[in-house]
Amino acid sequence: MGFDLLTENAFAGHAAAAAGSAAGAAFLTHPLDTLKTLLQVGAGSSQQVGLLQVVERVRMVSGLSDGRTYKYVHVSEALLAGMAAGAMEAVICTPFELLKIRGQVSSASHLKKFGSVGVMQESTPLISKLLPGSTPNMKAWNNTLGMLSTLSTSHIDIVGVLKQYPWMLTGSGRPPFASEVKEPSKIVSLEGWSALWRGLRPGIAQKCVFGGFFFSTWQFFHIAMLDWKALDMNPPPRSIDDVGPVSPLASSLAVGFSGMVAAAASHPFDTAKTRSQCIVTPKYITMERKLLRWEPPGIWLERVTGMSPADRNIMFRGLKLRMLRSGIASFALVGSYLLSLDYLF
């Protein structure tokens, strides 16, 4: 903790720039490095391999792209690619999912409006920003002032200061419901810009697990269907690329089943993400947690993925609906895509 914050940020910036520069340099010079390696390996005591011979050998075997020429994708590769794509999707889509979830919650919530709220919001604009959907409870307010009046204080206007903390005026001490803070302007005003990415950690876990299971399972069934199709071909195909496309219906069914498997594997993280996005946390509470260095409860997996220990018994609630929804959506997406290709081409 002896480093200054600005120094740490500068170090992180230099580290990121250096890593990006090194990666770019390695990308540009990789063909030369490949030729250098082949010259070193191919050299012998009695025979020296020339540069032109190495280039021609690489072109004949692998092509000038220095990679494999077939289109076969391993299941492990599909798993890693799906996890990477899921992490990127979580970062981009989390704000939109937050707005969607709070809109869905508000469709089943009844908001009560009171006439005194408008008068109080006009007199104290701060309350209109921090207490959406709440009403003042003057009895609780008076009781609070009565208890504080017995304490010795040197502040000249303690009542005015307490009015800057509008939660005390409600008498309940609770934040607004998610259904009361669903518009982007209210979310930013009450909770800050960072609230748009609330649930990012469980979202990344959910998208990574879903993407990994989805694409690896789909690739597994795709390879199995190609191998089954190759059994009836005469002469046998030389590679998997010569087998041909799979039936659109069979491919759509495989995708639908893969979506159901992925939904079942990632459902606990989806539950954690959904519940966290329905919690309204005002900006000052978030600031207090940072100042107090508040540590979330639970085991290390729950802390890393943003899961609450209090939700352990309800993590699989709604599993069947999500599996059904994911299977139908995946089947419809791929099926309509393949059907469109048949009609267009």
Side-chain angles (χ1 to χ4, degrees):
M1 299 301 294
F3 295 97
D4 186 71
L5 181 60
L6 296 177
T7 305
E8 292 180 356
N9 290 341
F11 176 78
H14 285 292
S21 301
F27 174 78
L28 292 176
T29 60
H30 186 70
L32 298 177
D33 185 68
T34 301
L35 295 177
K36 184 266 300 182
T37 302
L38 294 177
L39 284 174
Q40 292 172 331
V41 174
S45 58
S46 60
Q47 182 181 6
Q48 297 292 334
V49 181
L51 178 61
L52 295 179
Q53 293 175 312
V54 171
V55 173
E56 182 64 20
R57 181 66 176 175
V58 171
R59 187 190 66 81
M60 293 177 57
V61 176
S62 302
L64 295 179
S65 60
D66 190 26
R68 61 190 182 194
T69 57
Y70 57 88
K71 301 179 182 179
Y72 180 83
V73 178
H74 297 275
V75 175
S76 59
E77 295 173 335
L79 174 66
L80 296 176
M83 294 178 65
M88 183 63 65
E89 180 187 1
V91 175
I92 297 175
C93 297
T94 295
F96 304 100
E97 292 182 349
L98 173 72
L99 299 176
K100 181 202 70 172
I101 288 174
R102 292 197 176 182
Q104 291 172 333
V105 172
S106 65
S107 65
S109 303
H110 297 284
L111 299 180
K112 298 181 180 180
K113 297 183 179 181
F114 299 88
S116 60
V117 178
V119 177
M120 196 159 192
Q121 288 179 350
E122 292 178 0
S123 61
T124 311
L126 179 64
I127 298 179
S128 64
K129 295 181 179 180
L130 296 181
L131 287 180
S134 299
T135 57
N137 189 331
M138 299 309 300
K139 182 178 179 180
W141 171 252
N142 293 330
N143 292 336
T144 302
L145 292 180
M147 290 186 296
L148 293 177
S149 62
T150 60
L151 302 177
S152 59
T153 177
S154 59
H155 205 286
I156 58 176
D157 187 17
I158 188 173
V159 176
V161 173
L162 291 177
K163 287 182 179 179
Q164 301 301 316
Y165 299 89
W167 302 112
M168 300 186 65
L169 292 176
T170 64
S172 62
R174 67 161 184 85
F177 293 112
S179 57
E180 300 169 346
V181 189
K182 60 180 180 179
E183 291 82 5
S185 58
K186 290 185 178 180
I187 295 175
V188 173
S189 176
L190 176 63
E191 305 176 76
W193 285 98
S194 60
L196 295 176
W197 278 270
R198 178 163 297 143
L200 179 61
R201 287 188 297 169
I204 291 178
Q206 181 257 323
K207 296 294 185 182
C208 288
V209 174
F210 183 91
F213 272 84
F214 176 77
F215 286 104
S216 60
T217 305
W218 184 11
Q219 185 65 16
F220 173 80
F221 282 109
H222 182 71
I223 295 173
M225 289 185 292
L226 289 177
D227 292 338
W228 183 266
K229 183 179 180 180
L231 294 177
D232 298 331
M233 298 180 64
N234 191 14
R238 294 179 299 176
S239 66
I240 198 171
D241 296 333
D242 299 331
V243 177
V246 182
S247 168
L249 178 60
S251 182
S252 301
L253 291 174
V255 170
F257 182 79
S258 302
M260 297 177 67
V261 172
S266 61
H267 189 73
F269 303 107
D270 183 76
T271 302
K273 181 201 68 173
T274 302
R275 292 181 64 85
S276 65
Q277 290 179 334
C278 289
I279 298 176
V280 178
T281 306
K283 289 183 286 188
Y284 71 87
I285 294 182
T286 304
M287 184 182 302
E288 289 176 353
R289 290 178 176 177
K290 290 182 179 179
L291 293 175
L292 297 175
R293 298 180 181 179
W294 178 79
E295 293 290 339
I299 59 177
W300 69 270
L301 179 62
E302 294 171 332
R303 293 194 300 269
V304 171
T305 59
M307 303 171 69
S308 175
D311 299 337
R312 292 174 181 173
N313 296 330
I314 59 174
M315 283 300 178
F316 290 95
R317 183 170 297 177
L319 174 61
K320 295 180 180 180
L321 287 176
R322 185 163 179 265
M323 291 179 62
L324 181 62
R325 177 252 181 196
S326 181
I328 294 176
S330 302
F331 175 84
L333 176 65
V334 175
S336 59
Y337 170 75
L338 296 176
L339 185 63
S340 301
L341 290 181
D342 290 340
Y343 277 99
L344 292 177
F345 304 99

